[in-house]
Amino acid sequence: MKKTRMMAAVLLMMASVAAFAQSKVYMVKEITPESLVKVYKALGVEATGRVAVKISTGEGGNPHYLKPTLIRQLVDEVNGTIVECCTAYPGTRMDPKQHWETIHEHGFDSIFAVDLMDEFGQIRIPIQDKKHLKYDIVGEHLANYDFMINLAHFKGHAMGGFGGVMKNASIGVASTAGKCYIHSAGNSDDPKTAWNPGVLAAGDTQDLFLESMAAAAQAVHNYFGGRVIYINVMNNMSVDCDCDGHPAKPELKDMGIVASLDPVALDQACLDMVFNYQGKPGDDNKPLIQRINRQHGTYITDYAEQIGLGSKKYTLININ
């Protein structure tokens, strides 16, 4: 029995590697509710069972988060539940009570079922890459779901350089303690100490933070047995994340909706689109590129590929 299970696991791993080696990334340029459903269906995988739709509900004061009106058709299509976790920094979403107020102000709970996964507790899930982390600490309600749609807003980020589906799976699914654990590259899960100099993974140790994010994203992917769909919406691409209550105005125009079964290929495709874009006055990609480069942000796709989460090689399929 053990040999049979081991052989099945090896065959599954080989199949996954083969699939990732030829990753397909689908794109539609129109950013509409209908386009979001269209790109989901193009993936050819049906979200079944209890479906978690992981988004960022956006910090209070931030206007750039994915609006309920944009995502409503997709969430209805899969009968999904919006899931989130609390933050690890003072603001409108660190405390569950305030987070629920922000969720309400941004219009999510009036349209969807919403689950603040770490409101009442957290769990540890296994992690494959133990270079920095021994486990991943996530909201306990993650265990209530069979399938995840990772619906991310692609934009800049003050610490990660950019935020896409891998950040949404790692930092986004982590509880407050889990976020601290990832940001400190396994040094602390306590918000009171995790941000102290010498503990936080920053500066010369920035890559440790990025490696930890990749490892945590892989942990969530593996937890669902690969039953995850990844979507990046490339609109309102400020250099600042939706977690910033006072973000910079986007200087780069909207590009579209991009989706894949491979999170590494998807984030890499979005990075390539930003870096290869021919900017012009009023439509400038340079500020976002500078933010990404400042934080060595592109390294996360390198490391995620190295640990086997996915492939940077992809075929971009325009479904307009």
Side-chain angles (χ1 to χ4, degrees):
M1 182 64 74
K2 278 189 176 180
K3 288 184 178 180
T4 302
R5 287 180 179 174
M6 285 180 65
M7 182 61 70
V10 169
L11 290 173
L12 180 61
M13 186 177 295
M14 290 173 63
S16 298
V17 170
F20 280 139
Q22 300 179 16
S23 299
K24 294 180 179 179
V25 177
Y26 296 87
M27 180 178 184
V28 58
K29 291 185 177 180
E30 295 82 10
I31 301 177
T32 65
E34 294 77 15
S35 293
L36 201 49
V37 174
K38 184 177 181 180
V39 79
Y40 154 68
K41 290 186 174 181
L43 293 170
V45 174
E46 184 181 1
T48 56
R50 299 164 296 180
V51 180
V53 182
K54 174 62 186 75
I55 64 163
S56 168
T57 49
E59 190 70 12
N62 187 303
H64 299 150
Y65 60 92
L66 300 180
K67 303 300 186 293
T69 50
L70 174 63
I71 69 174
R72 182 172 187 172
Q73 285 191 29
L74 175 61
V75 179
D76 287 347
E77 175 77 22
V78 301
N79 192 28
T81 298
I82 298 296
V83 300
E84 253 281 46
C85 284
C86 291
T87 61
Y89 54 84
T92 67
R93 296 183 300 149
M94 186 175 184
D95 172 74
K97 182 178 182 295
Q98 283 186 297
H99 198 158
W100 275 114
E101 291 171 357
T102 302
I103 288 169
H104 181 71
E105 288 170 5
H106 289 175
F108 290 103
D109 62 340
S110 60
I111 299 177
F112 311 113
V114 181
D115 183 2
L116 197 53
M117 293 192 293
D118 65 337
E119 183 175 11
F120 303 110
Q122 59 193 21
I123 58 174
R124 295 176 178 180
I125 63 174
I127 200 159
Q128 182 175 323
D129 175 50
K130 293 184 171 66
K131 184 176 180 180
H132 306 298
L133 310 179
K134 297 177 181 177
Y135 39 74
D136 190 21
I137 311 172
V138 301
E140 68 173 354
H141 288 178
L142 189 70
N144 295 340
Y145 300 96
D146 307 305
F147 197 106
M148 175 173 281
I149 294 182
N150 182 328
L151 180 55
H153 175 210
F154 188 89
K155 69 288 178 190
H157 189 269
M159 299 189 75
F162 78 97
V165 290
M166 283 192 284
K167 177 182 177 295
N168 198 35
S170 56
I171 297 295
V173 175
S175 65
T176 295
K179 287 175 171 65
C180 293
Y181 193 54
I182 295 168
H183 271 285
S184 67
N187 288 317
S188 174
D189 61 7
D190 185 351
K192 295 178 181 178
T193 61
W195 306 104
N196 294 342
V199 176
L200 182 66
D204 292 339
T205 58
Q206 170 69 4
D207 286 357
L208 307 187
F209 163 50
L210 298 173
E211 290 172 356
S212 298
M213 276 209 294
Q218 184 181 46
V220 172
H221 184 88
N222 292 348
Y223 183 78
F224 281 99
R227 289 170 56 81
V228 187
I229 281 173
Y230 297 94
I231 303 173
N232 272 331
V233 180
M234 301 182 75
N235 71 343
N236 295 320
M237 289 182 283
S238 168
V239 299
D240 296 314
C241 180
D242 297 348
C243 59
D244 191 325
H246 304 282
K249 181 179 178 181
E251 297 183 56
L252 177 62
K253 289 188 177 178
D254 299 349
M255 290 187 173
I257 304 173
V258 197
S260 181
L261 301 179
D262 179 344
V264 181
L266 179 56
D267 275 353
Q268 185 62 52
C270 294
L271 286 169
D272 289 344
M273 279 186 267
V274 169
F275 275 77
N276 296 329
Y277 187 71
Q278 297 298 313
K280 52 187 178 291
D283 186 14
D284 191 2
N285 58 338
K286 291 187 183 65
L288 183 52
I289 290 174
Q290 289 168 357
R291 172 59 57 86
I292 295 169
N293 286 340
R294 188 190 77 181
Q295 300 303 112
H296 197 201
T298 58
Y299 177 60
I300 191 171
T301 58
D302 296 336
Y303 190 75
E305 181 181 56
Q306 180 182 322
I307 63 176
L309 176 55
S311 172
K312 290 171 60 179
K313 297 177 182 178
Y314 61 89
T315 299
L316 186 63
I317 302 168
N318 194 312
I319 60 172
N320 286 320

